Amino acid sequence: MRSQVPVDDGPAPRDTRPWRDPRRSPAERADALVPLMSLEEKIAQLVGVWVGAEASGEGVAPHQSDMIDGDLPWSTIIRHGLGQLTRPFGTAPVDPVLGARSLAASQAQIAAASRFGIPAQVHEECLTGFAAWRATVYPTPLGWGASFDPALVEEMAGRIGRSMRAAGVHQGLAPVLDVTRDYRWGRTEETIGEDPYLVGTTGAAYVRGLERAGVVATLKHFAGYSVSRGGRNLAPVSMGRRELADVILPPFEMALRLGGARSVMHSYAEIDGLPAAADEGLLTGLLRDEWGFTGTVVADYFAVRFLQTLHGVAGDAADAARLALRAGIDVELPTVDTFGDPLVAAVRAGEIDEALVDRALRRVLIQKIELGLLDEDWQELPDDVANLRLDDETSQDVAVRLARESVVLLRNDGVLPLATDVRVALVGPVADDPMALLGCYSFPNHVGVRHPEHGLGLDLPSLRDELARQVPGLAHEPGCAITGDDTSGIPAAVAAAERADVCVLAVGDRAGMFGRGTSGEGCDAPDLRLPGVQAELVRAVLGTGTPVVLVLMTGRPYALGAEYDSAAAVVQAFFLGQRGGQALAEVLTGVVNPSGRLPVSVPRDAGGLPGTYLTPPLGRRSEVSSIDPTPAYPFGHGLSYTTFEWSDPVASGSAASAAPSAWPVDGEATVRITVRNTGRRAGTEVVQLYLHDPVAQTTRPVVRLVGYARVPLAPDAAAHVTFTVPADVASFTGRDGRRIVEPGDVELRFGRSSGDLVAALPLRLTGVERQVGARRHLLTSARVEPAATGPQAG
């Protein structure tokens, strides 16, 4: 009988085709492949397919049913290959293991259909975590900004990226780098804040975490989306090029250069009549020629067709495709539309130069090669997929740590932390609503609400659940709903507050999409009053005389006017994620000492047009207007349960009272301050550094953030906090549109917030006016070192 032992014929022969050769650079491999592909094969690589999208119009986005051809069989869609798969995990609840296996089967079919064996690049949303069923939900980006902790944000992004890559996903549509300019805009919750330096440093950290996990980070929305008129989603933008250059663009530049992002998603916006999707100067001239970006530009969903249907700058689908390709868009998402048959026909008719197709194709192929998708050993099914878990203890630990750091204590007359022997009433519509902890791009809010039969897929305790663990006999009354005009529950809430020694009043938002929430994409607000009758509830409870801890669980800042002054304490929480109830309860009871700082100002007047702290003197209070725009709480504000003393500010070796220190226009300035914890418990101070430029050739913000550092200190411990500021950080757009460092007197101001400045150090930028370009220094370095304590301290 012959042996059944298999014969070892040695290693399989190596694929010698140049686009498979790992010894060649990605560019060389792509260049070898492009000429071999037919026009249909080329264009197939420039589109995504959203096979799970609903064609009823009741799905993720409006206009969707107009864009999706649900009649084409799968074999027809992939017959020439496929560029991207759109949201296979983020369209409907799917078990992670089964979803990964299903995705792998689709990838095998796509690769087999392609003459060159090219699989699709898979993308998903990941703004508050991998947007998939049973995946960890982290705090929303406003929470990242409130933490002032880029290192922790980077750790979070790394966890998100590893879970995505383990499931077979290659690209994440995050972070959002829009600098919020009008809090009424529903997508304020998706922004990191109102300051470009905070947004840029935090966004770059997120990018580093995602990219180091092997997932392509996609910066969005490039650019100007957040400056829409009236705070309305997808509205025209009235903004000058100087505001664009100095406020809106820097976070994108920082995330590209300091984070290494490999993809950019253009904005839906039109700036001065030119839609971003058709703006060659923005997507090619600035992004590629000036900044040196070499990755892919992907279209926001349906945005290429919007050039025809919403913007009216294209006559038909082919014209829209022409404008988008010429501007610099490489991939149309989420599914095949203008980059399908209309583009093929227009190229064959000579109406669109095939070189534009080749340019986009080359970028797409290079990125796929960088991801390993054209390697001979690529496998469609990730290793160890049977053990795939998207929500584990380590991820939840990161989520709760970030949530704790994101809680901002705005006001406290001593009622917090809650004493252990007091009767506490918890009232308010969001107190026992776990969904009020989640942003609109979390899977439960974004997708899961349309599939209630599947459940949340994760443990999501509410504030009431968590506070009840620590406060015996906790009474609860909702008082009212988040929306609507029903006030019938307010008397019961008032009665509960009257019976208590302290009342915790939790009010806020419920995130949703396109009018299905009070915050989120398409959920814009006409003013900054709390939704529904919540303001009436607040006034009624404050009127009881019981000390009230006002807790705001929101996606934007709300203006409550005098009510802020009437509360014994005010706590702000921006959608803290699935462990947010725990984090809030820990802060309220003193288990955690709050360290969050406001990433946005909190306005006092709900009816006045909101404005951020980045304003020249004319934007502040004056005698020529009856409107006082001074916020109730300024950008950067936040309190602690301990106290801190700041002392000994020094600039480049000179004390604050000395003559201005010289700061060369091509050099650095070093400033230092000492911070001491003078309280009885450990805490973290956030030292902020602001630039004040009193005289410049264009109007400048009174102050703007140029550096910050978290400083954890034990009781009586002290630290020296040193900032090294490149002169480039002081640059701005001058009269002629060039970015310059202008000589003259400036100040670097240490502040607890933008409105609480502790010390001003005079400096003089010396030399001649200097133009800076795309290679300028973007970052202020911060160093925290222990300082001597006790009577011998010098």
Side-chain angles (χ1 to χ4, degrees):
M1 187 172 184
R2 305 189 72 179
S3 171
Q4 298 300 308
V5 176
V7 177
D8 184 1
D9 294 326
R14 186 175 64 84
D15 192 333
T16 59
R17 292 174 294 181
W19 62 88
R20 296 285 190 193
D21 189 349
R23 297 171 300 178
R24 297 173 183 257
S25 70
E28 290 173 329
R29 293 168 66 179
D31 288 340
L33 183 53
V34 169
L36 304 179
M37 300 176 74
S38 69
L39 178 61
E40 287 80 5
E41 288 170 330
K42 292 177 180 180
I43 291 176
Q45 292 297 316
L46 309 186
V47 295
V49 168
W50 197 352
V51 293
E54 294 181 5
S56 65
E58 297 299 319
V60 174
H63 305 293
Q64 182 174 286
S65 59
D66 301 331
M67 308 298 173
I68 298 171
D69 186 350
D71 297 330
L72 291 178
W74 173 246
S75 59
T76 300
I77 291 172
I78 66 171
R79 67 187 184 280
H80 299 299
L82 183 63
Q84 294 225 2
L85 277 172
T86 293
R87 304 192 63 188
F89 290 90
T91 299
V94 58
D95 177 270
V97 173
L98 296 179
R101 293 187 184 280
S102 175
L103 174 60
S106 297
Q107 286 282 47
Q109 293 168 357
I110 292 166
S114 166
R115 283 198 300 147
F116 306 99
I118 306 172
Q121 189 164 322
V122 183
H123 76 261
E124 287 285 358
E125 299 284 359
C126 57
L127 192 63
T128 57
F130 182 11
W133 195 49
R134 296 182 178 173
T136 305
V137 180
Y138 297 88
T140 203
L142 272 185
W144 314 349
S147 76
F148 277 71
D149 192 347
L152 185 52
V153 171
E154 183 173 344
E155 184 179 353
M156 173 196 70
R159 297 296 308 174
I160 295 170
R162 284 189 286 276
S163 68
M164 295 172 74
R165 198 64 201 255
V169 178
H170 312 105
Q171 182 171 359
L173 303 187
V176 170
L177 298 181
D178 298 299
V179 177
T180 190
R181 302 294 280 167
D182 188 331
Y183 314 131
R184 296 173 300 177
W185 190 48
R187 303 192 79 165
T188 293
E189 66 167 71
E190 298 179 49
T191 72
I192 296 168
E194 68 184 46
D195 180 87
Y197 189 83
L198 178 65
V199 174
T201 49
T202 307
Y206 180 96
V207 169
R208 285 194 298 271
L210 206 66
E211 289 280 357
R212 286 173 180 169
V215 173
V216 174
T218 306
L219 311 183
K220 57 186 192 180
H221 306 87
F222 191 69
Y225 190 25
S226 58
V227 198
S228 56
R229 291 180 191 165
R232 294 178 59 249
N233 192 51
L234 221 171
V237 170
S238 299
M239 172 176 56
R241 290 288 166 177
R242 190 167 284 106
E243 182 180 358
L244 177 68
D246 290 346
V247 178
I248 302 302
L249 293 178
F252 293 93
E253 189 174 2
M254 295 177 81
L256 289 172
R257 289 184 49 202
L258 305 179
R262 287 181 284 173
S263 187
V264 170
M265 175 179 279
H266 73 80
S267 163
Y268 285 132
E270 59 172 79
I271 302 174
D272 194 24
L274 182 59
D279 191 344
E280 188 174 0
L282 179 70
L283 301 184
T284 297
L286 175 68
L287 181 63
R288 296 192 184 277
D289 298 342
E290 186 174 338
W291 288 358
F293 176 66
T294 59
T296 58
V297 174
V298 300
D300 205 342
Y301 285 11
F302 313 113
V304 178
R305 175 69 80 161
F306 286 171
L307 292 174
Q308 174 197 359
T309 59
L310 298 184
H311 293 297
V313 297
D316 55 24
D319 197 22
R322 176 185 62 83
L323 290 174
L325 277 172
R326 187 180 67 184
I329 293 174
D330 303 311
V331 180
E332 182 179 29
L333 298 178
T335 198
V336 184
D337 183 30
T338 72
F339 278 24
D341 292 339
L343 179 56
V344 173
V347 173
R348 293 216 183 279
E351 298 167 359
I352 297 177
D353 189 347
E354 190 170 350
L356 292 176
V357 173
D358 290 348
R359 182 179 70 171
L361 172 65
R362 183 175 185 271
R363 296 165 183 162
V364 167
L365 291 177
I366 287 174
Q367 190 159 100
K368 287 192 172 187
I369 291 167
E370 290 173 346
L371 289 166
L373 298 183
L374 270 70
D375 288 352
E376 188 177 4
D377 60 354
W378 171 80
Q379 55 183 16
E380 62 271 13
L381 190 64
D383 292 330
D384 200 24
V385 71
N387 297 318
L388 178 63
R389 288 186 61 199
L390 303 182
D391 182 35
D392 55 28
E393 291 183 0
T394 303
S395 298
Q396 290 187 29
D397 175 68
V398 174
V400 75
R401 285 192 285 128
L402 184 54
R404 289 166 180 155
E405 292 188 4
S406 301
V407 177
V408 187
L409 179 61
L410 299 181
R411 175 182 171 87
N412 186 22
D413 69 359
V415 69
L416 291 180
L418 295 171
T420 58
D421 57 349
V422 299
R423 294 171 299 169
V424 178
L426 175 64
V427 304
V430 299
D432 197 29
D433 183 358
M435 297 294 281
L437 294 164
L438 307 181
C440 79
Y441 266 83
S442 65
F443 186 88
N445 264 339
H446 196 65
V447 178
V449 291
R450 294 181 289 110
H451 302 275
E453 69 279 5
H454 287 270
L456 292 175
L458 46 79
D459 183 32
L460 187 57
S462 67
L463 172 59
R464 180 189 180 187
D465 294 332
E466 294 291 352
L467 194 58
R469 301 178 198 273
Q470 304 183 46
V471 178
L474 180 71
H476 170 253
E477 287 289 343
C480 65
I482 295 173
T483 58
D485 57 4
D486 184 1
T487 61
S488 62
I490 292 180
V494 167
E498 289 175 333
R499 291 191 297 267
D501 298 314
V502 177
C503 177
V504 177
L505 173 55
V507 294
D509 283 316
R510 177 73 177 270
M513 301 286 290
F514 303 109
R516 296 189 288 271
T518 61
S519 174
E521 185 173 358
C523 297
D524 310 314
D527 56 42
L528 296 177
R529 294 177 178 87
L530 282 168
V533 295
Q534 291 184 79
E536 189 172 339
L537 172 67
V538 170
R539 287 190 294 270
V541 173
L542 287 173
T544 63
T546 300
V548 173
V549 178
L550 180 60
V551 178
L552 295 125
M553 298 162 60
T554 67
R556 62 166 64 84
Y558 282 102
L560 297 182
E563 278 70 32
Y564 278 132
D565 301 325
S566 302
V570 182
V571 176
Q572 175 67 64
F574 295 111
F575 292 148
L576 296 176
Q578 74 182 73
R579 299 289 292 276
Q582 175 186 341
L584 261 177
E586 289 172 339
V587 168
L588 293 173
T589 57
V591 175
V592 168
N593 192 350
S595 62
R597 300 295 184 266
L598 283 176
V600 288
S601 306
V602 175
R604 184 170 293 275
D605 182 6
L609 287 175
T612 75
Y613 93 102
L614 286 177
T615 179
L618 280 181
R620 293 196 168 191
R621 182 180 182 181
S622 71
E623 297 179 357
V624 299
S625 173
S626 58
I627 295 177
D628 182 1
T630 304
Y633 301 102
F635 171 86
H637 173 74
L639 304 177
S640 171
Y641 293 151
T642 189
T643 55
F644 299 95
E645 176 186 83
W646 297 30
S647 63
D648 305 321
V650 177
S652 301
S654 300
S657 59
S661 299
W663 185 5
V665 295
D666 59 353
E668 297 176 333
T670 301
V671 296
R672 191 184 78 176
I673 199 164
T674 301
V675 179
R676 183 182 304 276
N677 183 347
T678 55
R680 297 180 178 179
R681 62 177 293 170
T684 297
E685 181 69 299
V686 178
V687 178
Q688 300 159 48
L689 186 68
Y690 292 89
L691 175 71
H692 171 63
D693 191 348
V695 180
Q697 59 182 259
T698 62
T699 61
R700 305 297 303 134
V702 177
V703 292
R704 64 180 176 96
L705 187 72
V706 293
Y708 59 90
R710 288 178 59 89
V711 186
L713 292 170
D716 201 40
H720 298 307
V721 184
T722 303
F723 294 101
T724 301
V725 189
D728 290 359
V729 172
S731 66
F732 62 94
T733 304
R735 279 191 301 261
D736 60 2
R738 298 178 302 119
R739 177 172 288 279
I740 60 169
V741 180
E742 184 181 36
D745 290 342
V746 296
E747 290 179 353
L748 288 173
R749 298 177 172 181
F750 289 104
R752 293 186 176 93
S753 73
S754 61
D756 183 5
L757 302 169
V758 175
L761 299 171
L763 298 101
R764 179 167 296 146
L765 285 160
T766 59
V768 298
E769 181 178 296
R770 172 172 161 263
Q771 181 176 351
V772 298
R775 298 294 97 188
R776 72 183 189 280
H777 296 284
L778 299 171
L779 196 63
T780 294
S781 65
R783 187 171 71 254
V784 178
E785 300 172 303
T789 58
Q792 302 303 316

